[in-house]
Amino acid sequence: MPVDLVLFDCDGVLVDSEVLSARVLADEATALGYSLSPEDCLDRFTGISMAAVRTMIEADLGQPLPPDFEARIRAADQRAFACQLRPIEGVEAAIRALDCRRCVASSGSPEKMRFTLGLTGLLPLFEPHLFSASMVARGKPAPDLFAYAARQMRVPPAACLVVEDSVAGVTAAVAAGMDVLGFAGGAHCRDGYASMLRRAGARMTFERMALLPALVAQGR
Ligand SMILES: [Mg+2]
């Protein structure tokens, strides 16, 4: 079946942000008395929204985080991204080679998406088709965001292909009834990462973005 719409996750698929974000979150949480390593953050929080991260940390701590927690993370993320963020290698050429429609569906806020895609030169390839977990009731791993994005793009789930790098995102795509490819080429992907995405339901995994146009052209 041909693919009419490719839905790209942002962090870890378009921009190589996950290692940078994990360092920021580990530092901020540890400063608040909740000791975390960057590896802990990658294991537990990759692919989910900051609202969900707050809920999980508060449940463990047994007390609320400060009201400015997200604002502090956002500011620290922006400082790290401004000097260190890179696009995923080869992603711009891969996107330009696709001959179907595309959008972004991210657990990040619209502001974060615009900032990171703007820094890496990818924003003009997607505007105005940017969808955030803040636009739906439940973020990934619930299917809401992918379902919402596909409805807005007027493409049925069976004609959608999701590209995801996290277990939460792969799970969300499967729950939305969409075909999903796991991307395991980001700096945060360690040994066994691809098989973890396949266990979550990715039909296949790949590690070089240059392969994407051919995978999309194959259909499902
Ligand atoms: Mg991701």
Side-chain angles (χ1 to χ4, degrees):
M1 173 152 189
V3 175
D4 292 337
L5 174 66
V6 179
L7 299 94
F8 287 89
D9 175 51
C10 184
D11 295 290
V13 169
L14 299 175
V15 298
D16 212 353
S17 56
E18 290 292 6
V19 168
L20 303 178
S21 295
R23 281 191 209 129
V24 165
L25 182 55
D27 286 351
E28 293 293 327
T30 300
L32 291 167
Y34 186 70
S35 183
L36 277 178
S37 69
E39 291 72 25
D40 295 331
C41 293
L42 288 171
D43 288 343
R44 294 185 57 199
F45 304 131
T46 300
I48 67 175
S49 70
M50 277 311 296
V53 170
R54 169 189 277 275
T55 303
M56 291 166 74
I57 293 179
E58 287 179 340
D60 281 358
L61 270 178
Q63 63 184 50
L65 288 167
D68 67 347
F69 179 66
E70 288 86 347
R72 287 167 54 163
I73 299 280
R74 191 160 57 239
D77 267 349
Q78 287 190 357
R79 287 192 295 273
F81 293 160
C83 46
Q84 297 178 71
L85 186 66
R86 298 286 174 268
I88 292 290
E89 186 182 342
V91 75
E92 179 172 348
I95 294 163
R96 290 188 187 281
L98 296 178
D99 63 356
C100 63
R101 301 174 71 207
R102 57 189 176 246
C103 67
V104 184
S106 172
S107 294
S109 66
E111 296 75 26
K112 181 184 177 188
M113 235 186 297
R114 290 189 161 277
F115 186 72
T116 60
L117 294 176
L119 274 175
T120 51
L122 301 173
L123 189 57
L125 298 177
F126 290 102
E127 266 184 332
H129 303 304
L130 306 173
F131 303 100
S132 161
S134 66
M135 299 171 180
V136 295
R138 299 175 304 168
K140 303 170 187 178
D144 303 27
L145 176 58
F146 289 128
Y148 174 77
R151 273 200 311 277
Q152 295 297 117
M153 299 295 288
R154 300 182 189 283
V155 177
C160 290
L161 174 70
V162 173
V163 184
E164 260 292 349
D165 73 305
S166 73
V167 168
V170 168
T171 304
V174 171
M178 297 176 187
D179 190 21
V180 52
L181 301 180
F183 178 68
H188 62 295
C189 301
R190 292 150 292 172
D191 286 351
Y193 200 91
S195 54
M196 184 177 74
L197 296 180
R198 286 193 295 272
R199 280 197 301 277
R203 176 166 56 84
M204 61 174 292
T205 53
F206 66 112
E207 297 182 6
R208 291 198 309 115
M209 271 298 167
L211 299 173
L212 182 66
L215 295 173
V216 172
Q218 280 170 13
R220 65 190 294 181

